[in-house]
């Protein structure tokens, strides 16, 4: 058995060292948050998903589509069929062609997918200053950090993040600039020496420009983000085209949950996680059963192996 | 032949007399004599075989629902995940078992390196294994393209572009591979066709691999040939039960990922539909390609980088002739043992380098590690064969086990003793 444990441990080391996480671009790492669906036994909280859907519907959906989600899928959130039909009936979708060859509008049915806010990507870009709002169906799986990242992003605008977070960004960026400036100066001195030598024979050469000291980063303005973008502590590069979408009181919850920015962000992040991975609850429940079975099964096999091998010398 | 088959079943006897399929199964899986001292590192061959079967079965089922077209591929995979009954399970098994297949094969290969399993008379057995690795890599690469996410598309673009490094014909090769002037629908279609085909080619090579294996039987931790029947035990029940136990442990580890972290070994960008106009910040291959990717990027010249990457696997073909030591097992090679672990650590280092941006410290380490990778094979192994003084070998497999031939033999006997 000792030999076996060694083998297994070495195999585990091979695996863990071989993997490791890929490095994200600049921007700080989203802190990990505790979710109802965290961990082996975690499951989605239907009430939270319903609130998240409400946030999506009332705020996000004006710019972001969710092409992969149909109204029927919302049954996972705990709505009954009548409620679902009522939800779908709030939307108009284009169908057709009918028998006369004409496209027509009708109210949405359960089988319809969420309508897109824009007819195409060009229209989306035109309405959003050139940036295309990404589809949110899979966004919780398509970003490093998943729902933690989404929550951090939604609460990561300048007015909402803590002074400590801002300070740490300023320090990191100041350090980066210092390193870059030092490298630039060194490159300059090499170029300058070359120029000084070459200019003796060819006076038409242009003198290399001395790099300017960018100075420390002490405020968001110092980051030099483009005017069209907002500062966000968790967005790669810190400049995000989406203005802060949520604030306290953005959405009025009917279940008495306080309408705070933190709740809105957490609820809609949970909703996006569900949209990206609707089978998670089922998967984990099956996993627990499979692992329990395998533990027993493997234990029996180990006993069988010991018994079988007991006569080998 | 068939007289070894002990059965009273008249139908089996009748069939076996005409088509000795039962005799063959008996000889290869039941009575097949195996060294009695194989340790748990010998489990990984059968585990790789299991992984291959799982991949083929899940793959065939997925192919029934998948659409190989640039406009539909991404959404057809999502349809499998959302609307097909049990589709998420089959797709996640296929995704994660690909990684576990490579884990099993890499461990299987390092075991071969440690115990000298590639040495005479098993050179062809080893070379067939390297062919299987190459086929696996091609299959895995093309499979990763099929979901048509961002990493699928850009990985395909980067890797197929490698062939443009070849002078004169490079560009033509790339156009031929793509079936057009960029990675597009024809590329996806042929990758799907080949991704379906190659696993069956792997099955064929595995059959030949087993054929070669059964010619001389398994190597063993002592690296000496079995001297007689006292050194061997029938495959069944001894190794069937031991392999079955290994399968249980393997599936436990696999289930941990499958059910609780199914996307851990994937890249988030592959949940973004492929977009030829937007390049991801970092294009990284799947984890099992990272050491080779590191070698590719360590060489400043593109063509040399490509050649070095292929050479890193190609060199395994001539390994049996690079390592001239007559002793197989590292147990009796006090110096090789250290270089083996150094080589192993070097491979892990290459894997780490492969996922970092190619600059600064990772680039420097990558270059050193790449150089060392080849030095290990081209300098260290040939020299060790001449300069190393191996420890005395036991007379037979049974002897050290029975007569308690020191700590080494004791360790070899461990898996069999009643603990």
């Amino acid at each position: 058995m000792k030999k076996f444990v060694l083998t297994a441990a070495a195999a585990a080391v091979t695996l863990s060292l071989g993997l490791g996480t890929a490095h994200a671009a600049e921007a700080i790492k989203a802190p990990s948050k505790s979710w109802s669906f965290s961990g082996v036994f975690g499951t989605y909280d239907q009430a939270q998903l319903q609130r998240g859907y409400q946030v999506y519907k009332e705020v996000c959906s004006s710019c972001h589509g969710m092409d992969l989600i149909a109204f029927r899928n919302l049954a996972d959130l705990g709505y009954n069929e009548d409620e679902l039909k009522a939800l779908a009936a709030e939307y108009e979708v284009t169908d057709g062609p009918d028998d006369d060859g004409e496209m027509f509008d009708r109210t949405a049915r359960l089988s319809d997918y969420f309508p897109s806010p824009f007819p195409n990507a060009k229209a989306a870009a035109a309405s959003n200053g050139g940036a295309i709002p990404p589809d949110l169906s899979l966004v919780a799986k398509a970003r490093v950090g998943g729902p933690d990242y989404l929550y951090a992003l939604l609460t990561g605008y300048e007015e909402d993040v803590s002074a400590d977070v801002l300070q740490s960004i300023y320090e990191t960026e100041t350090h980066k600039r210092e390193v870059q400036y030092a490298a630039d100066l060194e490159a300059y001195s090499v170029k300058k020496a070359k120029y000084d030598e070459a200019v003796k024979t060819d006076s038409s050469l242009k003198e290399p420009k001395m790099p300017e000291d960018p100075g420390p980063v002490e405020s968001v303005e110092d980051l030099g983000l483009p005017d069209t973008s907002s500062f966000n502590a968790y967005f790669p590069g810190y400049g995000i085209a989406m203005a802060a979408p949520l604030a306290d009181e953005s959405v009025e919850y009917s279940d008495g949950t306080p309408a705070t920015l933190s709740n809105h962000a957490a609820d809609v992040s949970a909703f996006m996680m569900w949209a990206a991975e609707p089978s998670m609850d089922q998967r984990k429940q099956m996993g627990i059963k499979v692992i329990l079975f395998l533990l027993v099964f493997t234990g029996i096999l180990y006993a069988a192996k010991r018994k079988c091998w007991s006569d080998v010398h | 032949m068939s007289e070894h088959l002990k059965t009273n079943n008249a139908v089996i006897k009748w069939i076996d007399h005409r088509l000795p399929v039962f005799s063959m199964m008996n000889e290869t899986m039941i009575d097949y004599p195996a060294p009695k001292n194989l340790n748990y590192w010998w489990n990984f061959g059968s585990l790789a075989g299991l992984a291959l079967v799982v991949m083929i079965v899940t793959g065939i089922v997925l192919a029934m629902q998948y659409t190989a077209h640039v406009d539909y591929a991404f959404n057809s995979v999502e349809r499998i995940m959302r609307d097909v009954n049990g589709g998420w399970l089959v797709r996640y098994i296929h995704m994660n078992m690909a990684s576990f297949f490579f884990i099993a094969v890499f461990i299987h290969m390092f075991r071969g390196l440690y115990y000298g399993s590639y040495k005479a008379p098993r050179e062809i057995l080893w070379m067939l294994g390297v062919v299987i690795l190459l086929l696996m890599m091609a299959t895995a690469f093309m499979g990763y393209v099929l979901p048509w996410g961002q990493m699928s598309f850009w990985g395909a673009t980067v890797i197929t572009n490698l062939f443009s490094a070849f002078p004169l014909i490079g560009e033509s090769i790339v156009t031929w591979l793509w079936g057009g002037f960029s990675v597009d629908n024809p590329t996806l279609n042929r990758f799907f066709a080949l991704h379906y085909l190659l696993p069956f080619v792997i099955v064929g090579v595995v059959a030949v691999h087993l054929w070669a294996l059964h010619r001389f039987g398994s190597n063993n931790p002592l690296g000496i040939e079995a001297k007689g029947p006292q050194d061997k035990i029938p495959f069944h029940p001894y190794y069937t039960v031991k392999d079955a136990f290994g399968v249980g442990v393997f599936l436990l580890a696999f289930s941990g990922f499958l059910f609780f972290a199914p996307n851990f070994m994937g890249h988030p960008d592959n949940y973004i539909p492929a977009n030829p106009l937007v390049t991801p910040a970092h294009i990284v291959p799947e984890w099992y390609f990272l050491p080779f990717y590191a070698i590719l990027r360590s060489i400043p010249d593109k063509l040399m980088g490509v050649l070095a990457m292929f050479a890193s696997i190609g060199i395994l073909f001539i390994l049996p002739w690079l390592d001239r030591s007559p002793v197989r097992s590292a147990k009796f090679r006090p110096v090789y043992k250290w270089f083996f672990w150094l080589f192993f650590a070097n491979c892990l280092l290459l894997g780490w380098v492969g996922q970092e941006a190619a600059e600064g410290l990772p680039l420097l380490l990558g270059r050193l590690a790449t150089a060392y990778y080849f030095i290990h094979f081209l300098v260290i192994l040939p020299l060790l064969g001449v300069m190393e003084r191996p420890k005395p070998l036991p007379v037979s497999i049974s002897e050290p086990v029975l007569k308690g031939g020191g700590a080494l033999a004791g360790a070899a006997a461990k898996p069999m003793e009643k603990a």
Side-chain angles (χ1 to χ4, degrees):
Chain A
M1 194 62 195
K2 190 181 126 217
K3 201 78 189 174
F4 168 73
V5 170
L6 277 178
T7 309
V13 168
T14 319
L15 177 62
S16 59
L17 287 180
L19 303 168
T21 44
H23 275 229
E26 63 269 60
I28 48 178
K29 192 179 177 301
S32 66
K33 193 173 151 55
S34 165
W35 300 93
S36 71
F37 50 83
S38 301
V40 170
F41 299 101
T43 56
Y44 290 123
D45 170 0
Q46 285 190 336
Q48 183 180 42
L49 296 187
Q50 291 196 4
R51 293 195 300 273
Y53 169 57
Q54 190 188 352
V55 174
Y56 168 73
K57 190 169 77 168
E58 293 178 20
V59 182
C60 318
S61 70
S62 55
C63 297
H64 292 275
M66 268 192 153
D67 291 351
L68 298 172
I69 311 300
F71 292 105
R72 63 183 161 84
N73 297 133
L74 294 175
D76 287 6
L77 273 53
Y79 296 113
N80 63 35
E81 194 170 336
D82 291 334
E83 288 170 318
L84 284 178
K85 281 182 177 158
L87 280 175
E90 294 171 30
Y91 295 86
E92 287 266 295
V93 294
T94 305
D95 200 349
D98 61 16
D99 292 343
D100 298 323
E102 304 293 332
M103 301 302 280
F104 60 93
D105 285 346
R106 61 162 173 78
T107 53
R109 293 194 283 252
L110 291 188
S111 56
D112 285 314
Y113 286 80
F114 285 8
S116 295
F118 301 104
N120 53 56
K122 293 270 186 203
S127 313
N128 289 282
I132 302 173
D135 186 271
L136 299 181
S137 314
L138 279 166
V139 76
K141 286 202 286 191
R143 299 290 183 277
V144 176
D148 290 336
Y149 166 76
L150 297 175
Y151 175 81
L153 184 89
L154 291 169
T155 57
Y157 287 86
E158 191 180 348
E159 307 75 44
D160 307 323
V161 286
S162 68
D164 289 349
V165 169
L166 286 176
Q167 196 52 43
S168 82
I169 289 174
Y170 299 158
E171 279 165 18
T172 320
E173 288 304 304
T174 302
H175 175 69
K176 255 195 236 166
R177 286 187 180 184
E178 282 165 356
V179 171
Q180 186 60 45
Y181 181 54
D184 288 349
L185 273 183
E186 204 169 301
Y188 166 76
S189 70
V190 173
K191 264 195 211 155
K192 181 78 165 72
K194 256 194 200 153
Y195 165 81
D196 288 345
E197 197 55 42
V199 80
K200 287 175 193 158
T201 52
D202 181 1
S203 57
S204 69
L205 286 172
K206 261 209 260 168
E207 191 175 343
K209 247 177 52 188
M210 188 157 162
E212 277 178 49
D213 186 351
V217 178
E218 283 163 338
S219 69
V220 165
E221 283 73 52
D222 289 347
L223 287 169
L225 303 175
D227 294 342
T228 51
S229 64
S230 310
F231 169 83
N232 192 300
Y234 298 95
F235 193 75
Y238 305 114
I240 184 168
M242 171 173 71
L246 296 171
D248 291 344
E249 314 286 329
S250 283
V251 171
E252 196 183 326
Y253 290 136
S254 59
D255 65 357
T257 305
T260 60
L261 167 66
S262 173
N263 282 342
H264 293 329
D267 294 347
V268 80
S269 301
F271 174 69
M272 286 188 273
M273 188 65 226
W274 164 80
E277 189 76 2
S279 57
M280 182 199 278
D281 285 357
Q282 203 192 342
R283 167 161 61 74
K284 286 182 183 171
Q285 280 156 20
M286 186 187 283
I288 292 162
K289 287 180 208 152
V290 168
I291 291 214
L292 286 177
F293 166 77
L294 280 174
L295 281 172
V296 174
F297 180 65
T298 309
I300 292 171
L301 284 170
Y302 182 63
K305 190 248 157 199
R306 283 264 309 277
K307 180 97 172 60
C308 176
W309 279 75
S310 60
D311 62 348
V312 179
H313 295 288
Chain B
M1 221 173 161
S2 47
E3 60 265 26
H4 296 294
L5 185 71
K6 293 176 205 77
T7 175
N8 295 320
N9 187 316
V11 178
I12 288 184
K13 275 184 183 163
W14 186 91
I15 295 174
D16 201 66
H17 186 64
R18 286 150 184 85
L19 179 72
V21 58
F22 296 106
S23 298
M24 196 186 83
M25 278 161 54
N26 183 56
E27 276 160 36
T28 53
M29 292 184 297
I30 311 285
D31 286 347
Y32 171 63
K36 62 201 282 186
N37 60 335
L38 301 185
N39 59 28
Y40 277 105
W41 295 113
W42 263 262
N43 278 48
F44 288 90
S46 69
L47 292 175
L50 171 80
L52 177 61
V53 172
V54 170
M55 290 308 281
I56 288 179
V57 172
T58 52
I60 290 173
V61 177
L62 287 172
M64 294 174 189
Q65 301 283 354
Y66 170 76
T67 309
H69 186 287
V70 290
D71 292 339
Y72 304 108
F74 187 88
N75 281 352
S76 78
V77 172
E78 277 306 312
R79 204 185 140 268
I80 291 170
M81 295 294 289
R82 291 159 189 275
D83 292 343
V84 175
N85 288 331
W88 61 267
L89 180 62
V90 178
R91 197 264 178 141
Y92 274 155
I93 291 176
H94 199 73
M95 248 173 86
N96 284 280
M97 193 55 95
S99 286
F100 271 72
F101 195 1
F102 275 98
I103 292 169
V105 164
F106 286 152
I107 295 175
H108 187 60
M109 293 180 74
F110 277 116
R111 189 270 287 153
L113 291 177
Y114 188 84
Y115 293 110
S117 300
Y118 47 83
K119 293 188 184 184
R122 295 183 182 83
E123 299 96 323
I124 292 183
L125 172 62
W126 169 263
M127 291 159 81
L128 287 165
V130 180
V131 171
I132 294 171
L133 176 69
L134 281 172
L135 287 168
M136 276 176 67
M137 294 175 90
T139 310
F141 162 65
M142 288 188 280
Y144 194 60
V145 175
L146 301 186
W148 210 244
Q150 274 290 69
M151 268 314 151
S152 299
F153 179 86
W154 289 99
T157 302
V158 169
I159 301 301
T160 48
N161 257 315
L162 294 180
F163 291 91
S164 71
F166 292 104
L168 301 174
I169 49 166
E171 293 294 336
S172 308
I173 293 178
V174 174
T175 306
W176 177 72
L177 285 174
W178 285 341
F181 299 101
S182 66
V183 173
D184 208 334
N185 202 46
T187 326
L188 178 60
N189 269 292
R190 61 191 53 196
F191 277 19
F192 180 49
L194 293 172
H195 183 71
Y196 204 117
L197 168 70
L198 289 185
F200 297 99
V201 178
I202 294 177
V203 170
V205 183
V206 167
V208 186
H209 187 68
L210 290 176
W211 188 10
L213 170 71
H214 286 225
R215 180 77 179 86
F216 295 101
S218 297
N219 181 33
N220 65 76
L222 296 177
I224 54 174
E225 290 299 329
K227 290 287 183 325
Q230 75 279 10
D231 288 347
K232 297 202 168 188
I233 46 178
F235 193 80
H236 181 74
Y238 295 103
Y239 287 109
T240 40
V241 72
K242 193 172 178 181
D243 278 353
F245 169 56
V247 166
V249 176
F250 184 72
L251 289 182
L252 268 170
F254 173 68
S255 299
F257 281 93
L258 170 63
F259 292 108
F260 303 106
N263 292 303
F264 181 78
M265 290 182 273
H267 195 290
D269 276 20
N270 230 26
Y271 281 109
I272 303 171
N275 185 347
L277 302 177
V278 179
T279 317
H282 293 294
I283 302 176
V284 271
E286 290 281 80
W287 70 267
Y288 36 80
F289 291 136
L290 290 175
F292 308 103
Y293 194 54
I295 290 175
L296 168 77
R297 296 192 305 175
S298 292
I299 313 237
D301 180 78
K302 190 175 173 187
L303 177 61
M304 295 311 287
V306 173
L307 292 177
M309 183 178 69
F310 285 123
S312 68
I313 296 174
I315 203 164
L316 296 173
F317 280 108
I318 53 167
L319 170 63
W321 295 275
L322 292 172
D323 179 0
R324 307 294 306 179
S325 172
V327 175
R328 289 197 195 110
S329 174
K331 257 183 209 275
F332 306 107
R333 299 187 60 188
V335 187
Y336 172 70
K337 190 187 242 171
W338 287 103
F339 280 107
F340 168 85
W341 287 112
L342 202 56
F343 176 75
F344 177 72
N346 191 60
C347 289
L348 293 184
L349 176 64
L350 280 170
W352 175 77
V353 168
Q355 56 152 18
E356 296 292 312
E359 58 194 23
L361 183 68
L363 183 62
L364 177 70
L365 287 175
R367 291 192 169 150
L368 293 173
T370 300
Y372 184 75
Y373 183 95
F374 289 104
I375 288 171
H376 175 83
F377 287 111
L378 295 174
V379 180
I380 293 170
L381 288 185
L383 282 182
L384 279 186
V386 184
M387 297 168 74
E388 184 183 44
R389 183 183 294 194
K391 292 181 187 166
L393 293 175
V395 179
S396 78
I397 293 174
S398 295
E399 190 212 47
V401 177
L402 283 176
K403 294 176 186 164
L408 290 166
K414 260 279 160 39
M416 290 154 234
E417 76 188 15
K418 258 184 143 172

